[in-house]
Short mmCIF file of all heavy atoms in Angstrom, two decimals:
data_model
loop_
_atom_site.label_atom_id
_atom_site.label_comp_id
_atom_site.label_asym_id
_atom_site.label_seq_id
_atom_site.Cartn_x
_atom_site.Cartn_y
_atom_site.Cartn_z
N VAL G 1790 -8.10 3.04 8.52
CA VAL G 1790 -6.80 3.56 8.21
C VAL G 1790 -6.44 3.29 6.80
O VAL G 1790 -6.01 4.22 5.97
CB VAL G 1790 -5.75 3.20 9.14
CG1 VAL G 1790 -4.28 3.61 8.71
CG2 VAL G 1790 -6.11 3.60 10.57
N ALA G 1791 -6.59 2.06 6.40
CA ALA G 1791 -6.19 1.62 4.95
C ALA G 1791 -7.12 2.37 3.98
O ALA G 1791 -6.74 2.84 2.87
CB ALA G 1791 -6.36 0.18 4.79
N TYR G 1792 -8.47 2.54 4.33
CA TYR G 1792 -9.36 3.14 3.38
C TYR G 1792 -8.92 4.70 3.13
O TYR G 1792 -8.79 5.10 2.02
CB TYR G 1792 -10.78 3.16 3.97
CG TYR G 1792 -11.85 3.86 3.06
CD1 TYR G 1792 -12.64 3.06 2.23
CD2 TYR G 1792 -11.89 5.23 3.06
CE1 TYR G 1792 -13.55 3.71 1.35
CE2 TYR G 1792 -12.91 5.97 2.30
CZ TYR G 1792 -13.64 5.15 1.47
OH TYR G 1792 -14.50 5.75 0.67
N LEU G 1793 -8.63 5.36 4.27
CA LEU G 1793 -8.19 6.67 4.18
C LEU G 1793 -6.89 6.87 3.51
O LEU G 1793 -6.70 7.70 2.58
CB LEU G 1793 -8.11 7.36 5.54
CG LEU G 1793 -9.37 7.39 6.45
CD1 LEU G 1793 -9.08 7.91 7.75
CD2 LEU G 1793 -10.38 8.26 5.71
N GLN G 1794 -5.89 6.03 3.75
CA GLN G 1794 -4.57 6.14 3.26
C GLN G 1794 -4.68 5.91 1.67
O GLN G 1794 -4.19 6.65 0.95
CB GLN G 1794 -3.76 4.99 3.76
CG GLN G 1794 -2.37 5.33 4.17
CD GLN G 1794 -1.75 4.28 5.05
OE1 GLN G 1794 -2.21 3.12 5.16
NE2 GLN G 1794 -0.74 4.60 5.74
N THR G 1795 -5.38 4.93 1.21
CA THR G 1795 -5.42 4.54 -0.18
C THR G 1795 -6.23 5.65 -0.99
O THR G 1795 -5.89 6.00 -2.15
CB THR G 1795 -6.08 3.24 -0.47
OG1 THR G 1795 -7.39 3.06 0.24
CG2 THR G 1795 -5.19 2.12 0.12
N HIS G 1796 -7.28 6.22 -0.34
CA HIS G 1796 -7.98 7.22 -1.00
C HIS G 1796 -7.25 8.57 -1.06
O HIS G 1796 -7.27 9.27 -2.17
CB HIS G 1796 -9.40 7.48 -0.39
CG HIS G 1796 -10.30 6.33 -0.78
ND1 HIS G 1796 -10.23 5.09 -0.03
CD2 HIS G 1796 -11.36 6.22 -1.67
CE1 HIS G 1796 -11.25 4.32 -0.68
NE2 HIS G 1796 -11.87 4.98 -1.69
N LEU G 1797 -6.62 8.85 -0.01
CA LEU G 1797 -5.65 9.99 -0.07
C LEU G 1797 -4.62 9.92 -1.07
O LEU G 1797 -4.22 10.93 -1.69
CB LEU G 1797 -5.17 10.45 1.34
CG LEU G 1797 -6.17 11.17 2.25
CD1 LEU G 1797 -5.90 10.89 3.72
CD2 LEU G 1797 -6.08 12.72 1.78
N ALA G 1798 -4.12 8.75 -1.20
CA ALA G 1798 -3.00 8.58 -2.22
C ALA G 1798 -3.55 8.79 -3.64
O ALA G 1798 -2.90 9.35 -4.49
CB ALA G 1798 -2.54 7.09 -2.13
N GLU G 1799 -4.85 8.46 -3.85
CA GLU G 1799 -5.48 8.78 -5.13
C GLU G 1799 -5.72 10.29 -5.24
O GLU G 1799 -5.52 10.88 -6.47
CB GLU G 1799 -6.79 8.01 -5.30
CG GLU G 1799 -6.64 6.53 -5.39
CD GLU G 1799 -5.78 6.02 -6.53
OE1 GLU G 1799 -5.85 6.69 -7.63
OE2 GLU G 1799 -5.07 5.02 -6.39
N VAL G 1800 -6.01 10.96 -4.20
CA VAL G 1800 -6.10 12.41 -4.29
C VAL G 1800 -4.75 12.98 -4.67
O VAL G 1800 -4.66 13.90 -5.63
CB VAL G 1800 -6.53 13.00 -2.96
CG1 VAL G 1800 -6.55 14.61 -3.08
CG2 VAL G 1800 -7.94 12.51 -2.65
N ALA G 1801 -3.63 12.60 -4.08
CA ALA G 1801 -2.32 13.04 -4.34
C ALA G 1801 -2.04 12.71 -5.87
O ALA G 1801 -1.42 13.58 -6.54
CB ALA G 1801 -1.38 12.36 -3.40
N SER G 1802 -2.33 11.66 -6.32
CA SER G 1802 -2.14 11.29 -7.71
C SER G 1802 -2.89 12.19 -8.66
O SER G 1802 -2.27 12.69 -9.65
CB SER G 1802 -2.59 9.79 -7.91
OG SER G 1802 -2.61 9.51 -9.41
N ALA G 1803 -4.15 12.56 -8.42
CA ALA G 1803 -4.79 13.44 -9.26
C ALA G 1803 -4.24 14.74 -9.18
O ALA G 1803 -4.19 15.45 -10.25
CB ALA G 1803 -6.33 13.41 -8.71
N VAL G 1804 -3.84 15.21 -7.96
CA VAL G 1804 -3.22 16.53 -7.88
C VAL G 1804 -1.92 16.59 -8.81
O VAL G 1804 -1.55 17.48 -9.53
CB VAL G 1804 -2.83 16.96 -6.51
CG1 VAL G 1804 -1.88 18.12 -6.31
CG2 VAL G 1804 -4.09 17.09 -5.71
N ARG G 1805 -1.11 15.52 -8.74
CA ARG G 1805 0.04 15.45 -9.61
C ARG G 1805 -0.28 15.57 -11.09
O ARG G 1805 0.56 15.98 -11.87
CB ARG G 1805 0.98 14.15 -9.33
CG ARG G 1805 1.64 14.15 -7.89
CD ARG G 1805 2.62 13.01 -7.92
NE ARG G 1805 2.02 11.72 -8.05
CZ ARG G 1805 1.56 10.99 -6.98
NH1 ARG G 1805 1.49 11.55 -5.77
NH2 ARG G 1805 0.93 9.85 -7.13
N GLN G 1806 -1.45 14.98 -11.44
CA GLN G 1806 -1.96 15.00 -12.78
C GLN G 1806 -2.68 16.19 -13.17
O GLN G 1806 -3.31 16.27 -14.23
CB GLN G 1806 -2.74 13.74 -13.02
CG GLN G 1806 -1.98 12.40 -12.91
CD GLN G 1806 -2.82 11.22 -13.13
OE1 GLN G 1806 -3.24 10.86 -14.24
NE2 GLN G 1806 -3.19 10.54 -12.00
N GLY G 1807 -2.63 17.18 -12.29
CA GLY G 1807 -3.09 18.47 -12.70
C GLY G 1807 -4.51 18.86 -12.29
O GLY G 1807 -5.00 19.90 -12.61
N VAL G 1808 -5.09 18.00 -11.44
CA VAL G 1808 -6.50 18.36 -10.92
C VAL G 1808 -6.23 19.31 -9.74
O VAL G 1808 -5.48 19.02 -8.76
CB VAL G 1808 -7.23 17.13 -10.48
CG1 VAL G 1808 -8.64 17.51 -10.10
CG2 VAL G 1808 -7.34 16.11 -11.62
N LYS G 1809 -6.92 20.51 -9.80
CA LYS G 1809 -6.82 21.45 -8.66
C LYS G 1809 -7.66 21.04 -7.51
O LYS G 1809 -8.89 21.43 -7.47
CB LYS G 1809 -7.15 22.84 -9.20
CG LYS G 1809 -6.96 24.00 -8.28
CD LYS G 1809 -5.52 24.50 -8.33
CE LYS G 1809 -5.34 25.80 -7.53
NZ LYS G 1809 -5.33 25.55 -6.06
N VAL G 1810 -7.08 20.35 -6.64
CA VAL G 1810 -7.71 19.85 -5.36
C VAL G 1810 -7.13 20.65 -4.18
O VAL G 1810 -5.95 20.67 -4.01
CB VAL G 1810 -7.65 18.45 -5.12
CG1 VAL G 1810 -8.48 18.08 -3.84
CG2 VAL G 1810 -8.09 17.59 -6.34
N ASN G 1811 -7.89 21.50 -3.51
CA ASN G 1811 -7.42 22.35 -2.44
C ASN G 1811 -7.56 21.80 -1.08
O ASN G 1811 -6.97 22.41 -0.14
CB ASN G 1811 -8.12 23.73 -2.39
CG ASN G 1811 -7.63 24.57 -3.57
OD1 ASN G 1811 -6.71 24.14 -4.39
ND2 ASN G 1811 -8.25 25.82 -3.74
N GLY G 1812 -8.29 20.67 -1.00
CA GLY G 1812 -8.32 20.20 0.43
C GLY G 1812 -9.17 18.82 0.52
O GLY G 1812 -9.70 18.44 -0.51
N TYR G 1813 -9.12 18.28 1.69
CA TYR G 1813 -9.76 17.02 1.90
C TYR G 1813 -10.30 16.97 3.38
O TYR G 1813 -9.68 17.31 4.26
CB TYR G 1813 -8.61 15.88 1.78
CG TYR G 1813 -9.12 14.47 2.19
CD1 TYR G 1813 -9.55 13.62 1.33
CD2 TYR G 1813 -9.08 14.06 3.53
CE1 TYR G 1813 -9.87 12.32 1.58
CE2 TYR G 1813 -9.49 12.79 3.88
CZ TYR G 1813 -9.98 11.97 2.80
OH TYR G 1813 -10.35 10.58 3.23
N PHE G 1814 -11.64 16.60 3.46
CA PHE G 1814 -12.28 16.47 4.74
C PHE G 1814 -12.70 15.00 5.03
O PHE G 1814 -13.42 14.52 4.21
CB PHE G 1814 -13.55 17.39 4.78
CG PHE G 1814 -13.27 18.94 4.77
CD1 PHE G 1814 -12.84 19.46 3.55
CD2 PHE G 1814 -13.22 19.61 5.95
CE1 PHE G 1814 -12.62 20.87 3.59
CE2 PHE G 1814 -12.88 20.91 5.95
CZ PHE G 1814 -12.52 21.61 4.75
N ALA G 1815 -12.21 14.48 6.06
CA ALA G 1815 -12.55 13.20 6.37
C ALA G 1815 -14.00 13.03 6.92
O ALA G 1815 -14.31 13.96 7.75
CB ALA G 1815 -11.65 12.53 7.42
N TRP G 1816 -14.82 12.11 6.33
CA TRP G 1816 -16.06 11.90 6.99
C TRP G 1816 -16.08 10.63 7.90
O TRP G 1816 -15.75 9.60 7.31
CB TRP G 1816 -17.13 11.62 5.94
CG TRP G 1816 -18.47 11.53 6.60
CD1 TRP G 1816 -19.13 10.38 7.12
CD2 TRP G 1816 -19.44 12.60 7.09
NE1 TRP G 1816 -20.24 10.66 7.71
CE2 TRP G 1816 -20.47 12.00 7.68
CE3 TRP G 1816 -19.34 13.99 6.88
CZ2 TRP G 1816 -21.52 12.83 8.19
CZ3 TRP G 1816 -20.38 14.76 7.39
CH2 TRP G 1816 -21.45 14.07 8.03
N SER G 1817 -16.17 10.80 9.19
CA SER G 1817 -16.51 12.03 9.79
C SER G 1817 -15.64 12.31 11.00
O SER G 1817 -14.97 11.34 11.44
CB SER G 1817 -18.09 11.77 10.23
OG SER G 1817 -18.53 12.98 11.01
N LEU G 1818 -15.72 13.42 11.62
CA LEU G 1818 -15.00 13.69 12.84
C LEU G 1818 -15.34 12.51 13.80
O LEU G 1818 -14.45 11.92 14.37
CB LEU G 1818 -15.51 14.99 13.42
CG LEU G 1818 -15.25 15.13 15.01
CD1 LEU G 1818 -13.77 15.23 15.16
CD2 LEU G 1818 -15.88 16.45 15.47
N MET G 1819 -16.59 12.36 14.08
CA MET G 1819 -16.93 11.36 15.11
C MET G 1819 -18.21 10.49 14.60
O MET G 1819 -18.89 10.84 13.70
CB MET G 1819 -17.33 11.95 16.41
CG MET G 1819 -18.37 12.99 16.32
SD MET G 1819 -18.54 13.71 18.07
CE MET G 1819 -19.32 15.32 17.50
N ASP G 1820 -18.40 9.34 15.23
CA ASP G 1820 -19.55 8.57 14.89
C ASP G 1820 -20.72 9.37 15.11
O ASP G 1820 -20.76 10.26 16.01
CB ASP G 1820 -19.61 7.40 15.88
CG ASP G 1820 -18.42 6.37 15.72
OD1 ASP G 1820 -17.78 6.42 14.65
OD2 ASP G 1820 -18.05 5.77 16.74
N ASN G 1821 -21.68 9.11 14.29
CA ASN G 1821 -22.93 10.05 14.44
C ASN G 1821 -24.19 9.36 13.93
O ASN G 1821 -24.06 8.18 13.51
CB ASN G 1821 -22.76 11.38 13.87
CG ASN G 1821 -22.31 11.17 12.37
OD1 ASN G 1821 -23.08 10.53 11.54
ND2 ASN G 1821 -21.15 11.75 12.04
N PHE G 1822 -25.26 10.05 13.87
CA PHE G 1822 -26.54 9.49 13.28
C PHE G 1822 -26.46 9.30 11.83
O PHE G 1822 -26.43 10.26 11.11
CB PHE G 1822 -27.74 10.43 13.72
CG PHE G 1822 -29.11 10.01 13.26
CD1 PHE G 1822 -29.79 9.06 13.77
CD2 PHE G 1822 -29.62 10.66 12.05
CE1 PHE G 1822 -31.08 8.65 13.38
CE2 PHE G 1822 -30.93 10.23 11.66
CZ PHE G 1822 -31.56 9.25 12.24
N GLU G 1823 -26.38 8.07 11.39
CA GLU G 1823 -26.33 7.85 9.98
C GLU G 1823 -27.60 7.62 9.35
O GLU G 1823 -27.95 6.59 8.68
CB GLU G 1823 -25.36 6.58 9.71
CG GLU G 1823 -25.14 6.19 8.26
CD GLU G 1823 -24.58 7.33 7.39
OE1 GLU G 1823 -23.87 8.19 7.83
OE2 GLU G 1823 -24.98 7.28 6.23
N TRP G 1824 -28.47 8.58 9.35
CA TRP G 1824 -29.66 8.72 8.67
C TRP G 1824 -30.54 7.50 8.94
O TRP G 1824 -30.80 7.05 9.97
CB TRP G 1824 -29.46 9.10 7.16
CG TRP G 1824 -28.72 10.28 7.14
CD1 TRP G 1824 -27.24 10.35 6.58
CD2 TRP G 1824 -28.88 11.61 7.52
NE1 TRP G 1824 -26.91 11.71 6.75
CE2 TRP G 1824 -27.82 12.48 7.23
CE3 TRP G 1824 -30.09 12.22 8.05
CZ2 TRP G 1824 -27.79 13.77 7.56
CZ3 TRP G 1824 -30.05 13.55 8.40
CH2 TRP G 1824 -28.96 14.34 8.12
N ALA G 1825 -30.97 6.78 7.81
CA ALA G 1825 -31.96 5.64 7.87
C ALA G 1825 -31.19 4.38 8.64
O ALA G 1825 -31.95 3.55 9.02
CB ALA G 1825 -32.31 5.17 6.48
N HIS G 1826 -29.97 4.53 8.85
CA HIS G 1826 -29.16 3.47 9.49
C HIS G 1826 -29.13 3.83 11.03
O HIS G 1826 -28.50 3.05 11.76
CB HIS G 1826 -27.86 3.21 8.90
CG HIS G 1826 -27.86 2.72 7.56
ND1 HIS G 1826 -27.98 1.37 7.24
CD2 HIS G 1826 -27.76 3.40 6.39
CE1 HIS G 1826 -28.08 1.31 5.88
NE2 HIS G 1826 -27.84 2.39 5.36
N GLY G 1827 -29.59 4.95 11.40
CA GLY G 1827 -29.50 5.29 12.85
C GLY G 1827 -28.05 5.34 13.36
O GLY G 1827 -27.20 5.90 12.63
#
Side-chain angles (χ1 to χ4, degrees):
V1790 173
Y1792 180 99
L1793 296 173
Q1794 227 166 10
T1795 52
H1796 284 79
L1797 276 157
E1799 294 298 329
V1800 174
S1802 168
V1804 170
R1805 286 194 300 274
Q1806 298 178 69
V1808 185
K1809 187 86 168 70
V1810 184
N1811 282 0
Y1813 173 96
F1814 291 80
W1816 185 268
S1817 178
L1818 160 68
M1819 59 182 156
D1820 299 335
N1821 56 54
F1822 178 76
E1823 181 52 29
W1824 308 112
H1826 297 278

